[in-house]
Amino acid sequence: MFKNVFGSGFLVRTVHVILTWVITLILFLHDTDLRKQEETGELTLPVLFVLLVLMSVLLYFAVSLMDPGFVLSDDCDLQFTLGITEETQDMIPQATKSFRLRRCGHCLVQQPMRSKHCQTCQHCVRRYDHHCPWIENCVGERNHRWFVLYLAVQLVVLLWGLYMALSGFRHGPTWQLWLRSNGVLLGAAAVVAVLSLTVLLLLGSHLYLVSLNTTTWEFMSRHRISYLKNCGTDENPFDRGTLRNLWGFFCVWEPVVWEHVYFKQGNETV
């Protein structure tokens, strides 16, 4: 289920973790509200902040090391994708029985609908969203909701850290003296501000796409995807309404047979 922590992306993960704890240390070493509360013995908020930072790091490793939903073999994946078992054979729509899976030209496995081959990971990924260089892993069917949760927690940590950084600036009689006493904290605040804006945009875009039940890949490359290019501009065969889309994404953990959803909407075989 999880990849080797020392494999591909080890350098990126190491830099991420070091940067996270270095900025956290800076916030505690300077005269911020965190340090003031720590010195007065009010440890509730400092401990909560550290636990939240730790949670963000653990979620980061979870999404970066988790199997995003790799398509491994034809036999088991064909059975999974089309639901071909003795118990469900009669329940499969006729259109789905005649559905021809596309064979990947790179790893030669049969691709379930909404899957795509990732050139970086060298695997086909179910419900492929995108390959994220930040986590050095694909975002797909198995780790997408964890990725969104990670972004939400990381955003809270960054905004809280930015607020604490701003609370630690000291007054200085001149700009030179002000920069000398606040330079490190100013650098940390600038990094946190840039990361906050980045994570905010990422989280907003993913929540928007999730509410439509579409992926980043489908949104950006609609004209090149066989099962979407013949649909109307505003037509999404997987859209079941905003509330049902959000519920299915966050609360339904069973794998979805997207061929069933696609043909239930009355689409032609692709």
Side-chain angles (χ1 to χ4, degrees):
M1 182 179 178
F2 291 93
K3 302 193 297 184
N4 184 357
V5 68
F6 297 106
S8 175
F10 174 73
L11 180 61
V12 174
R13 297 184 190 105
T14 301
V15 171
H16 175 89
V17 173
I18 291 176
L19 182 62
T20 298
W21 290 113
V22 165
I23 292 178
T24 302
L25 184 61
I26 291 174
L27 294 177
F28 276 94
L29 290 178
H30 285 73
D31 194 24
T32 63
D33 288 348
L34 286 175
R35 181 174 179 177
K36 293 175 182 177
Q37 292 179 6
E38 182 186 8
E39 290 175 344
T40 57
E42 300 176 7
L43 301 179
T44 302
L45 289 181
V47 170
L48 182 60
F49 181 77
V50 171
L51 290 177
L52 201 60
V53 172
L54 180 60
M55 181 180 177
S56 73
V57 172
L58 293 177
L59 283 172
Y60 172 80
F61 274 101
V63 297
S64 63
L65 299 177
M66 186 182 295
D67 174 1
F70 293 134
V71 181
L72 300 179
S73 63
D74 285 353
D75 293 338
C76 64
D77 285 314
L78 181 61
Q79 181 175 351
F80 167 81
T81 301
L82 299 182
I84 301 176
T85 62
E86 292 181 0
E87 293 80 4
T88 60
Q89 182 69 38
D90 295 334
M91 299 174 61
I92 302 174
Q94 185 64 37
T96 308
K97 293 181 181 179
S98 62
F99 181 80
R100 296 189 300 274
L101 293 180
R102 179 180 181 273
R103 186 170 292 277
C104 177
H106 300 278
C107 56
L108 302 180
V109 299
Q110 289 182 310
Q111 293 179 325
M113 186 172 282
R114 308 192 80 180
S115 64
K116 181 184 180 297
H117 184 86
C118 175
Q119 296 286 359
T120 304
C121 295
Q122 292 300 309
H123 283 290
C124 287
V125 180
R126 298 183 187 279
R127 198 183 178 276
Y128 176 85
D129 188 86
H130 72 289
H131 183 90
C132 181
W134 186 2
I135 63 174
E136 269 302 312
N137 194 15
C138 282
V139 176
E141 182 181 71
R142 290 187 178 179
N143 67 346
H144 195 174
R145 59 171 60 89
W146 292 108
F147 181 73
V148 173
L149 177 61
Y150 161 69
L151 291 178
V153 173
Q154 186 68 72
L155 181 61
V156 173
V157 171
L158 289 170
L159 292 178
W160 194 354
L162 182 60
Y163 174 78
M164 289 301 167
L166 295 177
S167 72
F169 288 119
R170 303 175 182 175
H171 295 288
T174 64
W175 280 106
Q176 291 78 7
L177 293 176
W178 186 88
L179 286 174
R180 184 178 301 175
S181 60
N182 297 293
V184 175
L185 191 59
L186 179 62
V191 172
V192 172
V194 172
L195 292 176
S196 298
L197 180 60
T198 302
V199 174
L200 178 62
L201 293 176
L202 278 173
L203 179 61
S205 63
H206 275 276
L207 289 176
Y208 171 72
L209 294 177
V210 166
S211 70
L212 299 177
N213 201 349
T214 190
T215 64
T216 302
W217 173 56
E218 291 172 343
F219 184 79
M220 300 295 293
S221 305
R222 182 185 182 91
H223 61 286
R224 297 193 290 112
I225 301 175
S226 59
Y227 57 84
L228 292 179
K229 64 182 181 181
N230 294 325
C231 298
T233 305
D234 299 325
E235 182 182 357
N236 178 12
F238 308 111
D239 186 5
R240 294 175 285 186
T242 301
L243 293 180
R244 289 189 63 188
N245 291 338
L246 292 172
W247 175 267
F249 182 83
F250 288 106
C251 303
V252 178
W253 292 84
E254 293 81 6
V256 178
V257 183
W258 294 111
E259 286 81 358
H260 290 181
V261 178
Y262 183 85
F263 285 112
K264 187 177 180 179
Q265 303 298 324
N267 296 285
E268 298 296 329
T269 303
V270 292

